[in-house]
Amino acid sequence: MEETKIILDEKEMPRQWYNINPDLPKPMDPYLSPQTMKPATPDELNVIFPMDLILQEVSQDRYIDIPDEILEIYSMYRPTPMFRAKRLEKALGTPAKIYYKYEGVSPAGSHKPNTAIAQAYYNKKAGIKRIATETGAGQWGSALAMACNLMGLECTVYMVKSSYDQKPYRHIMMETWGANVIPSPSNQTHAGQQMLAENPGHPGSLGAAISEAVEDAATHEGTNYSLGSVLGHVLMHQTVIGLETKKQFEKINEYPDVMYGCVGGGSSFGGVAFPFVVDKMNGKDLQLVAVEPSSCPTLTKGVYAYDYGDTAKTAPIAKMYTLGHDFVPAPIHAGGLRYHGDSPLVSLLHHEGIIDAISYKQLSVFDAALQFARTESIIPAPESAHAIRAAIDDALKCKETGEEKNIFFLLTGHGYFDLGAYEQYMSGKLEDDEYSERAEEEALAKLPQV
Amino acid sequence: MEETKIILDEKEMPRQWYNINPDLPKPMDPYLSPQTMKPATPDELNVIFPMDLILQEVSQDRYIDIPDEILEIYSMYRPTPMFRAKRLEKALGTPAKIYYKYEGVSPAGSHKPNTAIAQAYYNKKAGIKRIATETGAGQWGSALAMACNLMGLECTVYMVKSSYDQKPYRHIMMETWGANVIPSPSNQTHAGQQMLAENPGHPGSLGAAISEAVEDAATHEGTNYSLGSVLGHVLMHQTVIGLETKKQFEKINEYPDVMYGCVGGGSSFGGVAFPFVVDKMNGKDLQLVAVEPSSCPTLTKGVYAYDYGDTAKTAPIAKMYTLGHDFVPAPIHAGGLRYHGDSPLVSLLHHEGIIDAISYKQLSVFDAALQFARTESIIPAPESAHAIRAAIDDALKCKETGEEKNIFFLLTGHGYFDLGAYEQYMSGKLEDDEYSERAEEEALAKLPQV
């Protein structure tokens, strides 16, 4: 019997997060306050974030200890397994070896709890009673609902209205963990009221839901805001993925030649790639490739500039690849990748040429998802399937060249709540997404002048 | 950091199934042919089952080797983790220790693949091209669809129509794995046609869907039938659960005082309990408790007699606890537990006083499910939640007596596709199930005369 699963003992679970800040090729540009257009001070950020997380954001310590209480909850589902995709390799007839690490084993079904648990912990420690956040497809909202429930915090989730209606199971899941889920735009905030006044049938957007959650946190005593991606501390919490992946490759005496990960805000990709970045900067022959939807091609077609994180311009301004904070991507099913901007850390590394990026259209992504489900049995989330598409294409190239490459991709979560999209695809009803250069141009014209 | 997860290395995965036949306190009564009312011959059974499985059904070998091809697929998700439910213990304030083993980590989300993979393998080996089966809530159909896809077999699933409509994600999941899912009763079989002629709006039932699948297999060359529970070989394949559980308790130098498992057809319960039965027969102080829904109280209120396995009386007749093959239980959400009969092996052991049985009403089961989800984070399937209810009640008794007991229950699967039922429960719309003594009396009057 050949082994296809590479597992770690609980004792091998990382006890520290890896902080890439001290290893960056150049220092990060600071976040700016949307009020002053000057670097945001810790006190300004402290209105919606606990100080521990603000300090992590700017820390120059290469490793940061993971508190025991967080480790104990991580151990419910970590270390996560890495698999060799032998059945997929066989179906493709490739000489390449395909590996993937699966984060869908967490109770919330994705990698998101890695940071949700940490964020809930530090907020609890700071005396916070309630956390407000936004969610699109629902993976982040589910993870934070679960984490808040474990830490004894209240949780309010502003969920993009179109997703709320399309994926009822997601909000029921959050409610099962005790969260209060509000379709956004809502009447609960000024931002929401204004959007509804302009358009009573507003379907919602991630940028709009962020505005509501930030306002909720800023205007309620004892309430903080929590973001599921983009920020540095979020990516740092996700490095448990990459640190485990490194150990798993060491176990089998292998090293990846290329690593693919899907990118929306960039947290899962940063989490898996960052522990490998130093190797690459030290000369290791390794490709790190961010895979995004062609309908929201932030890294492949956006500009590297300061932009707002949300529609209402209340969140901090960040230097990042962006399509413009007003850009509304096509309603593809990979809702978790529909963000106009990207992690400032991933953006910087892309700008410096350390991280590559490619994009795929929706139909080719679902084609890969189905091929994966029918060989490896796990039904992938549409977001994760972007990385699968890239891995399959690379493996098919190896079939032509005969190269015996180690191809890795990160499987961020399962697609149990996305089966409606699978049905559309299988019945030929799913359409390919269109990307509007013009919409991007218009949105980019509205970048803040800094 | 205290360990709450007891995991096994892949090398510790069982390489053999445990066959309880040679250890039974008295021999099994044979299956009878519905045509002759005499013991079914291997040739009669071979019309719908492969010979390897028929031989397993009557084998007196205590251990049967698991073929490498099956082990390789098992290793995708096995060994499954066992957890100590410390957060639940704390919430209950009990001195008892609560352990549970979680089978929901399989790609199909339940324990069902343990036998689906084995059955698909032996059918493939016998040259079979297609398997027909039935499914109620969808867990079994999903598992067999996945297994057939892996073995390169076609799969036709007759799904109880009311479930097909209520849980669309389940049939999409099976279709994603390439299965053909047909709402039952259907026009594809004589049995289905007759049921529809009598009642065009027939909502379907497990007994009816079995009749359709058995007829499909019996009347198509190269097609066999596959059953997800009840039969001896099915329970034997599930003993990987109990064998692992034993090793996991050994790892922490503990032994359970009581083991709870939900029972529909009895396969998960048999799978976890049988490796412990010999210990109990040898004098070990251990309670083995089957937990069933009060609306389908086969073990607690049924009779121990020969009965048909399906509505159309085409499947073999078995000696078992039964409520009568015509008995239609209330439409509770734990669809996997709505079977009029029970595993002949579990029935025999219950009749001999080795296995105990209790029943619970639906609302108290969902109450336990929610308490579990809000402490341990995993959202349980309504079927599994029956065992949780029993474990919680026992732990609460320990709170009164101060007993530091080891309570174990089997968590057979997750409830991601049952969130509609959770929503009904949380919004107060779920009703308690009613049990009709009269319906049972009427159904029992129709037992076969043997």
Side-chain angles (χ1 to χ4, degrees), chain A residues 217 395 427:
Chain A
S427 61

Side-chain angles (χ1 to χ4, degrees), chain B residues 17-260:
Chain B
W17 292 300
Y18 166 63
N19 175 19
I20 200 169
N21 284 343
D23 294 327
L24 289 174
K26 53 183 266 189
M28 284 281 292
D29 292 299
Y31 293 105
L32 304 184
S33 155
Q35 283 84 36
T36 65
M37 291 294 184
K38 289 184 181 152
T41 65
D43 282 351
E44 281 172 323
L45 295 169
N46 196 214
V47 175
I48 56 169
F49 295 113
M51 198 50 80
D52 279 339
L53 294 180
I54 297 168
L55 293 177
Q56 285 182 4
E57 192 72 27
V58 295
S59 169
Q60 288 295 320
D61 296 336
R62 189 166 283 116
Y63 289 97
I64 292 182
D65 287 344
I66 306 174
D68 278 357
E69 206 169 335
I70 295 174
L71 285 173
E72 197 173 324
I73 301 177
Y74 275 177
S75 76
M76 286 195 313
Y77 64 94
R78 305 211 70 86
T80 62
M82 183 166 97
F83 294 94
R84 166 117 181 253
K86 282 196 189 159
R87 285 181 291 272
L88 176 60
E89 290 169 16
K90 202 176 158 192
L92 296 172
T94 180
K97 290 179 188 168
I98 305 176
Y99 297 93
Y100 62 97
K101 185 163 173 74
Y102 183 40
E103 290 290 307
V105 294
S106 79
S110 78
H111 65 290
K112 294 287 189 188
N114 297 333
T115 185
I117 294 160
Q119 292 191 47
Y121 170 83
Y122 288 113
N123 275 292
K124 170 90 174 176
K125 198 176 151 217
I128 290 298
K129 304 290 179 209
R130 185 171 73 100
I131 299 182
T133 196
E134 75 291 330
T135 198
Q139 287 194 337
W140 167 242
S142 305
L144 192 67
M146 182 195 102
C148 284
N149 172 66
L150 286 170
M151 293 291 169
L153 296 173
E154 288 177 64
C155 183
T156 300
V157 181
Y158 292 88
M159 183 170 189
V160 175
K161 191 168 186 306
S162 55
S163 293
Y164 185 94
D165 294 335
Q166 270 169 24
K167 300 190 180 184
Y169 279 18
R170 273 287 176 193
H171 72 79
I172 304 170
M173 189 180 206
M174 298 180 229
E175 286 154 3
T176 300
W177 285 318
N180 179 26
V181 188
I182 301 168
S184 165
S186 76
N187 277 315
Q188 309 281 311
T189 64
H190 291 295
Q193 286 158 12
Q194 203 173 326
M195 289 180 247
L196 288 172
E198 283 167 20
N199 176 8
H202 198 305
S205 74
L206 215 47
I210 294 177
S211 296
E212 289 211 274
V214 169
E215 180 185 324
D216 182 326
T219 55
H220 288 89
E221 192 71 32
T223 298
N224 262 349
Y225 169 71
S226 186
L227 188 62
S229 190
V230 179
L231 302 178
H233 65 271
V234 180
L235 275 69
M236 187 191 75
H237 300 152
Q238 294 293 356
T239 58
V240 288
I241 304 173
L243 293 167
E244 286 182 10
T245 304
K246 270 203 140 170
K247 284 190 194 170
Q248 283 162 314
F249 271 112
E250 279 164 20
K251 273 221 157 161
I252 54 170
N253 292 312
E254 295 279 3
Y255 194 88
D257 293 299
V258 57
M259 300 181 82
Y260 294 102

